[in-house]
Amino acid sequence: MPAFRSRHLCSVAAALVLTVTAPATAATAAAADSDVSTAAALREVLFVGNNWEGTADVVESSGAFAKVGRINVIPDKSARMAEINADPIKWIYFQAIRNGVGEGHDQFVDDMYTTPDGASVVVSRPSFTDVVSIDLATGNINWRFPVSGYRSDHMAVSPDGTRVAVSASISNTVHVLDIGTGKQLGSFKTGDKPHENIFTKDGKYIYNMSIGDVNTSQDAPWQDFTKGDRRITVVDATTYQQVRVIDMRQRLDAIGLTGYSDAVRPAVFSPDESKLYFQVSFFNGFFEYDLATDRITRTKTLPKNPATSDDRTTFVNDSRHHGISMSPDGGKLCVAGTMDDYATVVDRATLQEGPLVTASKPYWATVSGDGRSCVISESGADQITAIDFATGRKVVSVPVGDHPQRVRIGHVAPNWTGAKAN
């Protein structure tokens, strides 16, 4: 996972202009004009990562969400498997991912962002323990960065599109990379099992949410302490030094919710970044956290599906609900009720939910390019579904590959229809 500011690429042209300082030389001004023209000429799309299949479907970012193309995100699978099979430790972790968080499947794509020029897509690949940049024209790998430990996870891209932060979930580390070269610019330590990452919109800070051990069966409230050190780590996005730690255990206990998990899962800021809305493990709902007063100000409990077991050990990676996004005007929230098989739009002022839109294990929620719809990934039905923010009603569903999870706004060349391998 900022993770929920994936629409930042719409403002790339403006960011490029701001990097030109006065007085500028004619050459510098001309280069800036060229960059702006290139960014403006790109086509906005949605990338849908098909985690178990190792592909990413690319669809229109709004409207009919029609398919544009597809890319193979594991073109080097043979080489990676040879490395894994030659190293007993790597093989053990590969199998552990498959049989643990992968639910019996390999995890080939977790997160993805395109580069500002729309020429490449950068992908985190949990089972291959890395981040790669893939050329969208050829399908070839530009660079590869093996993360520390043995699993890569959620990413976030800086507002100017030049840096990408990736969670290395086994080493409790976040690496920050140059999106163009893959060179590490810095890193920082987190709590146990770093997950979501969010850049603030000014690019000054990175928020990381650590979720602890989500693939154990010690899921009863009294066993919560076994899950590990779960916290929000806030770092300076230039020095990568820690500036703040937020432990939601203390904030939950302060309002009497001692039996609730403090593992912050997907989260989204309000437009002015004064409020953080977040989900936690096992809970069918979300919380509102006020940054200025440092306290949880509201709790929203959403309906349970009567067909869903309350046995916590049956929840996928401790997620009862996993996926939350916000309309651009800040008026509506969209929530993916993963284990309860629905998604719903919630009025932010009243916290009243709208219609429960039936969905099969929805695992993510993002915002369409035009800002009118919430787009969820239905990992149980291999499709994405758009829900109108204004009405809370389903707009359209589009088939994609095996087990879609992360959905991100990206940009490609205007005539791009898929990689043409050499």
Side-chain angles (χ1 to χ4, degrees):
M1 81 266 290
F4 294 95
R5 282 194 211 3
S6 57
R7 298 182 73 246
H8 76 284
L9 287 171
C10 298
S11 62
V12 166
L16 287 168
V17 172
L18 290 173
T19 64
V20 181
T21 58
T25 65
T28 302
D33 288 342
S34 176
D35 286 340
V36 171
S37 297
T38 299
L42 297 176
R43 181 182 186 183
E44 184 182 75
V45 292
L46 282 171
F47 276 75
V48 183
N50 303 312
N51 194 15
W52 294 351
E53 186 175 274
T55 63
D57 281 303
V58 182
V59 303
E60 294 175 343
S61 66
S62 56
F65 299 92
K67 287 187 178 181
V68 174
R70 170 176 276 205
I71 187 166
N72 174 19
V73 302
I74 49 171
D76 57 339
K77 182 178 180 181
S78 295
R80 299 285 77 78
M81 290 306 303
E83 288 179 357
I84 290 166
N85 290 329
D87 187 320
I89 302 301
K90 289 182 179 179
W91 186 88
I92 289 170
Y93 274 99
F94 181 84
Q95 295 296 328
I97 291 170
R98 174 185 288 173
N99 297 309
V101 293
E103 304 172 75
H105 302 266
D106 298 321
Q107 292 195 313
F108 288 133
V109 48
D110 188 276
D111 218 338
M112 72 235 106
Y113 289 99
T114 51
T115 52
D117 60 6
S120 305
V121 61
V122 175
V123 183
S124 61
R125 307 186 301 181
S127 288
F128 288 164
T129 320
D130 64 14
V131 181
V132 293
S133 170
I134 300 174
D135 188 292
L136 286 169
T138 67
N140 297 330
I141 291 179
N142 299 314
W143 55 257
R144 175 174 181 257
F145 180 88
V147 303
S148 57
Y150 296 92
R151 186 176 182 275
S152 54
D153 199 48
H154 284 229
M155 299 197 299
V157 73
S158 58
D160 64 2
T162 63
R163 294 172 292 159
V164 63
V166 58
S167 288
S169 57
I170 303 226
S171 67
N172 298 344
T173 301
V174 171
H175 301 280
V176 183
L177 313 177
D178 181 294
I179 203 168
T181 67
K183 179 182 178 182
Q184 178 168 280
L185 302 174
S187 67
F188 60 92
K189 287 297 185 178
T190 66
D192 292 334
K193 302 298 187 298
H195 190 57
E196 183 78 309
N197 293 294
I198 303 176
F199 275 89
T200 54
K201 63 184 179 183
D202 59 10
K204 291 183 178 180
Y205 301 101
I206 303 171
Y207 280 66
N208 174 267
M209 290 69 169
S210 57
I211 59 173
D213 294 312
V214 299
N215 56 338
T216 70
S217 60
Q218 295 171 295
D219 295 338
W222 69 270
Q223 296 172 313
D224 188 67
F225 71 95
T226 68
K227 296 292 185 177
D229 176 18
R230 295 152 299 173
R231 53 189 166 92
I232 298 176
T233 301
V234 186
V235 301
D236 183 294
T238 301
T239 65
Y240 309 111
Q241 296 300 304
Q242 180 178 296
V243 297
R244 187 181 182 190
V245 170
I246 303 170
D247 182 355
M248 285 301 174
R249 173 78 281 134
Q250 300 166 6
R251 281 75 178 171
L252 288 164
D253 290 350
I255 57 175
L257 299 181
T258 56
Y260 285 64
S261 171
D262 60 345
V264 176
R265 309 304 291 264
V268 62
F269 279 109
S270 58
D272 64 0
E273 297 186 333
S274 66
K275 302 286 196 302
L276 182 72
Y277 296 84
F278 65 94
Q279 296 164 308
V280 299
S281 292
F282 309 117
F283 179 47
N284 49 298
F286 60 88
F287 298 98
E288 176 189 78
Y289 170 75
D290 184 276
L291 275 77
T293 62
D294 189 25
R295 64 188 183 92
I296 295 172
T297 46
R298 291 194 292 176
T299 302
K300 174 58 180 178
T301 303
L302 286 164
K304 292 182 178 181
N305 184 337
T308 299
S309 171
D310 282 329
D311 179 356
R312 290 183 169 201
T313 64
T314 65
F315 298 171
V316 176
N317 297 324
D318 292 356
S319 304
R320 181 147 196 165
H321 287 188
H322 189 282
I324 187 168
S325 64
M326 185 178 293
S327 59
D329 65 2
K332 301 288 181 66
L333 290 155
C334 178
V335 181
T338 308
M339 298 306 300
D340 290 301
D341 287 332
Y342 69 76
T344 189
V345 172
V346 178
D347 184 276
R348 186 174 157 223
T350 65
L351 295 190
Q352 177 59 52
E353 72 269 15
L356 303 185
V357 178
T358 300
S360 181
K361 202 170 79 171
Y363 215 76
W364 196 250
T366 192
V367 179
S368 63
D370 61 10
R372 296 179 179 178
S373 301
C374 165
V375 181
I376 60 170
S377 59
E378 293 193 53
S379 61
D382 296 342
Q383 66 183 16
I384 58 169
T385 293
I387 300 169
D388 186 86
F389 272 118
T391 66
R393 303 288 180 181
K394 174 179 172 177
V395 177
V396 66
S397 292
V398 177
V400 291
D402 190 10
H403 207 264
Q405 288 189 206
R406 218 71 59 236
V407 183
R408 300 292 193 190
I409 287 283
H411 288 78
V412 298
N415 59 350
W416 187 86
T417 57
K420 306 296 190 294
N422 293 331

